[in-house]
Every structure is written in C-alpha cells, then in structure tokens.
Amino acid sequence: MVPFLRILGIETSCDETAAAVVERDAEGHSRILSDVVLSQLDEHSAYGGVVPEIAARAHVEALDELIEQALARANVSLGDVDAIAATSGPGLIGGLLVGLMTGKAIARAAGKPLYAVNHLEGHALTARLTDGLTFPYLMLLVSGGHTQLILVRDVGQYERWGTTIDDALGEAFDKTAKLLGLPYPGGPAVERMARDGNPDRFAFPRPLVGEARLDFSFSGLKTAVRQAAQEIAPLSDQDVADICASFQKAISRTLKDRIGRGLQRFKTEFPVAGEKPALVVAGGVAANLELRGTLQALCDKNGFRFIAPPLSLCTDNAVMIAWAGLERMATGAAPDALDVQPRSRWPLDSKAETLIGFGKRGAKA
Ligand code: KG4
Ligand code: ZN
C-alpha cells in the first residue's frame, strides 16, 4: 500500500505556461486528472526564438487562469490536493519567479506543502507515470536547451553520462532552419523538408563519433551546413531539402554512435537478467520521426525497450512537475521551505562538471 496522493503542478520555466493535477491511489494506479498547457509560440516566433521578458509577462497574464482551469477540469478544489509542485529551475529566471511565487502563495494560503521541482527531474520521471517504469533506466533528453543522457537510478538520484559541449540538439535544428530561411521552431520545418531530400548529397561531420566519452557536439555541424549553403547559393527548394536530409542523417548517425555506447555501458553496469532495460526519450526533438526510428532500431539491436511518452508529455508540461512532486512526497521527503529560491541553472547531477560552452542559451530544457 502506498499513500493516496493528489498534486497540483505548475510549469513556467520557458515558453509554455502549464498547470495540471495528477494523483496516485493506494494501489499505485496513477491518473492525470487535468493537463492544461498554453504555448507562447506565436508571441516568440517573430523573433526567431524565446524572448525571456516576453515569456515572463505572458506567464504572469496566463497562470492564474490556467491553474483555475486545471482544478476545474480535474473537478477538485485546492482543499482536495495534498501538495503544490512548482518548477523552480533550471530555466529562464523571470518565468521561474512567476511560477514559484504563485506556487508559494497558493501553498501558504491553502496551508499545503510546497515542492520546488527541478524541471529536468520532471522529464526524467515522466516514463514512470506513463509506462510504470522501474529504476534504473537511461533517459535521453533532447530539447531546445538540453541534450543529456542521464542514468535515472531512483527518485533524486541522477547521473549525467553525457551532455553537449556546445549547442543543444534542438538549438542545432533551429539555427540550421534559420540559416536556410525556414520558419521557427526549426525542427519540424527541417524534418518536413528532409522528406524530399537526398541524405547522401552532403557529407556533414559526425562530431565525437567513435570517442569513448558519451558527450555530444553540434556546433560544427551547423557551421558545415552554413558553408555548404554558401557554396551553392542561391538555394533551390531541392538544395534546401538535400541539406536538411543530409543534416538529419548526420545527426542520426551521431546519435546511433553516442547512444549505442550508452546502452553498452548500461548493460555492463547493470547486468540484470529478466526484464529488458529501457531507454526513455524526452524533449521536443523526440517528435522527429527519423530520430525516433534510429533510436528504436538501436534499442531493438541492443535488447532495450524504447520508451517515448506521448509527445504532449515529452515537451514541457505541468503533469511531469506534479508527478515529480508526487514521487518526492511519496518517498517521505520533506517539502521545501517557503523561502526556496528559483535557480536558472540547476543540474540534475550535482557532481557532474559544467562543460565548456554548455548551456549558452541558458539552462532551460
Ligand atoms: O522540449 P521543447 O518543446 O521545448 C524546450 O526546448 O523547452 O523543445 C523544443 C525544441 C526546438 O528546438 C524544436 O526545434 C525542436 O524541439 N523540435 C524538433 C522537432 N519538433 C520540435 N526537432 C526536430 N524534429 C522535430 N520534428
Ligand atoms: Zn523541458
């Protein structure tokens, strides 16, 4: 028997304002009672990226209403929730302040405990809600702000096995799209163009492939794309399609090598018989079908289960924040004091060193 827990989650670390209610009953069955997300995409797309000040203001305008909606859709009142979980980092500080202060105010007014949640922990634990995964497992987080391979040992126990030494993968897609004249966000646009392109026309670099360390690097790839584009300018639609297809192929091959090594390491460190080990993917780039296919094939080859939660739970949302709060509360962890501060940088693995150039765009996920 586990305690029945119902949590209100709040997420404001980047450009999605979100609130959700999640519960787990005494038999261990979990349910998403509501999941409300307001994307600010339209407000940022004209600038080709997220503008922190605009994001913070948009969170202020939307959050109260979204929380009310989340409670109403869940058919509960504040009195019916056991705790409030709010993202307190990493991310854009203005947005974090809005969400965390709101969480504190509600916790204080309703007399409920507050859990200040690490956004990355939300991503890391989502697969336990969606797929009932048991520890340990590997997680690949590929978003606009992060590219990390993380060993998830237990609630609160994370080891970063690999990270990017320069651009995040989503960032590489966005920058490549921009220099090819494609709209923001770049990932979906590049994927769409790549469908009609020749992946073998350009031999783009596959950074760090073959190296024993499990890190990633994508800035050289972006530079190679720029050079190729300049050499054949002006670009026809077919040229753009060929560049996109070749770019995606280089990334696929890079992931195959890097993640393949990660799976091998996992099997060496956790040689368990019985249930198959699992690789979980999260973050906006997980929407990319070619990359998903690559990871699925890699997992099949190595005897791993490939777990990709529904896209709405892979990208930023408050369900994962409520769930991470629930998991922490269920371990008996004490809630946070109401003077807890937001942290724009907050690595999941506090022992992992910061790599040169890592997180240039801020530490958002
Ligand atoms: O996790 P996410 O929604 O937001 C944060 O970064 O916080 O990820 C957004 C990133 C963007 O860089 C976007 O270009 C990328 O995910 N993305 C994709 C695709 N859809 C979104 N990248 C590659 N292929 C896609 N289909
Ligand atoms: Zn995220």
Side-chain angles (χ1 to χ4, degrees):
M1 287 281 275
V2 291
F4 179 100
L5 291 174
R6 184 185 291 136
I7 312 276
L8 168 68
I10 298 171
E11 159 61 35
T12 55
S13 67
C14 189
D15 58 345
E16 262 95 23
T17 318
V21 181
V22 173
E23 70 178 27
R24 183 164 72 187
D25 67 23
E27 276 82 47
H29 299 126
S30 316
R31 281 205 305 152
I32 299 170
L33 299 187
S34 62
D35 174 14
V36 189
V37 182
L38 182 70
S39 169
Q40 303 173 0
L41 197 58
D42 292 346
E43 288 167 70
H44 299 287
S45 59
Y47 303 94
V50 178
V51 184
E53 180 67 23
I54 293 178
R57 284 167 188 258
H59 289 306
V60 171
E61 281 165 21
L63 187 56
D64 289 359
E65 172 68 25
L66 285 192
I67 290 171
E68 272 178 30
Q69 275 182 31
L71 291 168
R73 287 187 197 176
N75 207 12
V76 297
S77 67
L78 273 178
D80 302 323
V81 303
D82 298 301
I84 316 298
T87 304
S88 65
L92 300 171
I93 197 70
L96 292 170
L97 274 165
V98 174
L100 186 58
M101 296 308 276
T102 304
K104 286 181 185 183
I106 294 175
R108 177 70 191 236
K112 305 287 177 181
L114 173 78
Y115 287 88
V117 169
N118 183 316
H119 177 92
L120 303 175
E121 182 165 43
H123 280 302
L125 296 176
T126 300
R128 286 174 43 79
L129 166 68
T130 56
D131 293 77
L133 217 57
T134 52
F135 298 117
Y137 55 89
L138 265 183
M139 193 214 25
L140 174 67
L141 174 63
V142 274
S143 69
H146 279 282
T147 303
Q148 298 196 7
L149 183 63
I150 292 170
L151 169 68
V152 184
R153 266 186 200 280
D154 206 335
V155 178
Q157 289 184 37
Y158 310 95
E159 238 173 70
R160 195 191 71 199
W161 281 8
T163 187
T164 178
I165 57 172
D166 40 56
D167 293 347
L169 185 51
E171 196 177 1
F173 269 95
D174 293 338
K175 288 179 175 171
T176 294
K178 198 168 182 179
L179 68 92
L180 294 175
L182 299 172
Y184 174 86
V190 169
E191 182 175 24
R192 224 176 300 118
M193 289 303 290
R195 270 183 222 139
D196 302 318
N198 172 5
D200 300 314
R201 177 161 164 204
F202 300 94
F204 289 137
R206 287 139 198 206
L208 301 183
V209 163
E211 291 200 19
R213 63 196 283 203
L214 295 176
D215 294 320
F216 306 87
S217 164
F218 295 109
S219 74
L221 178 56
K222 170 195 68 196
T223 307
V225 168
R226 178 181 295 116
Q227 280 164 355
Q230 280 167 351
E231 269 165 32
I232 58 167
L235 301 178
S236 67
D237 283 353
Q238 191 58 51
D239 291 332
V240 173
D242 292 346
I243 291 177
C244 288
S246 304
F247 168 81
Q248 246 179 216
K249 183 174 177 183
I251 289 169
S252 255
R253 292 296 155 86
T254 304
L255 287 184
K256 203 168 155 186
D257 174 82
R258 313 280 69 218
I259 308 303
R261 283 168 193 271
L263 300 186
Q264 288 304 325
R265 177 171 167 190
F266 187 93
K267 280 204 283 197
T268 310
E269 292 197 16
F270 303 97
V272 281
E275 203 178 319
K276 273 187 178 182
L279 172 73
V280 178
V281 71
V285 184
N288 189 292
L289 293 180
E290 183 179 336
L291 301 186
R292 271 185 189 229
T294 299
L295 293 172
Q296 177 75 62
L298 192 64
C299 283
D300 292 346
K301 194 171 144 227
N302 286 279
F304 271 68
R305 281 197 289 157
F306 177 59
I307 296 186
L311 202 61
S312 62
L313 297 181
C314 274
T315 54
D316 290 351
N317 65 86
V319 168
M320 67 180 191
I321 303 304
W323 176 253
L326 189 153
E327 291 250 52
R328 260 178 58 199
M329 197 171 183
T331 64
D336 287 283
L338 288 187
D339 62 355
V340 58
Q341 296 298 313
R343 301 168 64 176
S344 60
R345 280 179 181 271
W346 185 5
L348 256 191
D349 178 352
S350 54
K351 291 195 288 300
E353 56 182 321
T354 302
L355 296 186
I356 299 161
F358 159 65
K360 275 183 301 191
R361 224 178 91 174
K364 77 178 206 63

